[in-house]
Amino acid sequence: MTATTASSAPRPIPFDNSYARLPGTMHVGVNPTFVEAPRLIKVNSGLADELGIDPEALTAEVAVGNAVPEGAAPIAQAYAGHQFGNFVPQLGDGRAILLGEVVDRNGIRRDIQLKGAGPTPFSRRGDGRAALGPVLREYLMSEAMHALGIPTTRALMAATTGERVYRETMLPGAVLTRVAASHIRVGTFQFFAARRDLDSLNLLVDHVIARHYPDLATAENKALALLDAVMERQAKLVSRWVQVGFIHGVMNTDNTSISGETIDYGPCAFMDAYDPQTVFSSIDEYGRYAYGNQAPIAQWNLARLAETLLPFLHENRDEAIKIATERIEGFPAIYTRYWLDGFRKKIGLVSEEDGDLDLIQALLDAMQLARLDFTITFRKLANGEEASGLQSWTPKWHDRLERDPQPHEERHKLMRSVSPAYIPRNHLVEEMIQAAIERGDYQPFENMLRVLMMPYQEQPGMERYSEAPVPGEALYRTFCGT
Ligand code: AMP
Ligand code: MG
């Protein structure tokens, strides 16, 4: 090779596609659809490195699906799901194409998926495309969640297609490259249960255990052990959401990941003023997925998972239902354990007392009454600052702190490590999206992303990103969910 060669070919992506090797009942082979003028918006080089992928391999052509990298086995995955409580026996990847899997530097298998790469056999009446706004929203939100330390799918790339998509208006089209521990959902189990396809269901249980819960491989009743393990991870996940004021927005069973990651960022948002009734999604008319409803909904979704596993729980169906019901009824206690653990830290406690739950609830009630900003209030407490509106609660808290053996400095360090200074404020997310759509200006996206990468650390000059919206700025509905 001569010195004048610009660059050698990038190292191929080390694909190893275990889901594509499962039977054809579970997926359909499909190629991305060619687009006119792909342009990269962003490559997440840190994540590429974690995945052992040569960043040079992450071109605009790959990001939109015009070039399918060597070793990929593009498929659309089959799944069903309850959407707002109604069962749809076939949903599936209607606009997402799984390129394949890589085993990352930590030995963890990760999916690489293109979201918005064109129609698939599951598209129904949809165009298989994604608009730029939701792609930027998902990129930013998922990376912010990761920086907060909350399990989530990740964003590897975002690119525009050079084509328009029609939603309520014409919008620029884009594709998000999403990375997940897997894209297996509660709805994946429902797909086979609805078809009474026990063979596929059985294979799915084994695949999920091997991939996400290897310790359960030797369990006496694998399906029951799996149900317990998924419940544990969902309880932990939703408690983490609630502790940072996150509202998923569309907790349908097809958006509930078996691995316990946050998945499918649609009309999601972080709450500003504390109010458990907060809803952002314009399609969530009855507040099914309101902030304060997320734990009961997770339990409901887990009950749907349990139903799919009944044939494996006991040969006698009544017995199986009894076992499943007992497990699902245990969810609130598991959730409360995680909830308490998290909120104790947020008020600086390392010891446990019976009255802690009431003390935390009294704080939340006071915040609701005074319409205090959730994030700012907890950050003030963490920084040892006076938070107005909490005059009657503060003395009770101080009493409790006297019985908590911990140096002042340590306590505030702990509190700052769980109560962020920065969250993706919805009014700023909207502003960032508008700048990109209207002016092709991605600077607000870049700026916001940078601040959100260190959410637990005050960054001088970045105060704007920690401020609550002024009344006119607050957005109550997110219309650009999809
Ligand atoms: P979501 O609300 O994004 O979780 O999607 C619910 C279902 O609708 C999934 O089966 C998606 O694949 C499908 N879907 C959403 N948007 C589109 C689209 N633009 N084209 C095709 N299918 C879509
Ligand atoms: Mg979905």
Side-chain angles (χ1 to χ4, degrees), residues 79 83 91-93 95 115 178 185 248 250 252-256 263-265 482:
Y79 56 86
Q83 299 191 305
L91 289 165
D93 288 332
R95 55 148 163 195
K115 188 171 175 182
R178 179 161 75 177
R185 309 135 192 273
H248 181 284
V250 211
N252 292 333
T253 57
D254 54 302
N255 294 338
T256 302
I263 192 171
D264 272 6
Y265 292 81
T482 54

Side-chain angles (χ1 to χ4, degrees), residues 44-53 110 143 154-156 177 179:
N44 188 339
S45 49
L47 180 57
D49 184 58
E50 192 180 314
L51 296 173
I53 296 178
R110 316 272 290 269
E143 289 303 303
R154 303 284 309 276
L156 181 62
T177 309
V179 173

Side-chain angles (χ1 to χ4, degrees), residues 9 397 421 443:
W397 178 42
Q443 205 53 52

Side-chain angles (χ1 to χ4, degrees), residues 181-195:
S182 83
H183 286 83
I184 301 167
R185 309 135 192 273
V186 167
T188 316
F189 285 76
Q190 291 181 290
F191 182 86
F192 302 109
R195 285 161 183 74

Side-chain angles (χ1 to χ4, degrees), residues 5 48 77 106 115 196 207 256 263 317 403 447 455 477:
T5 308
Q77 290 177 303
N106 303 313
K115 188 171 175 182
R196 312 235 184 288
H207 179 85
T256 302
I263 192 171
R317 194 173 157 85
R403 298 190 300 281
N447 294 346
R477 291 287 187 270

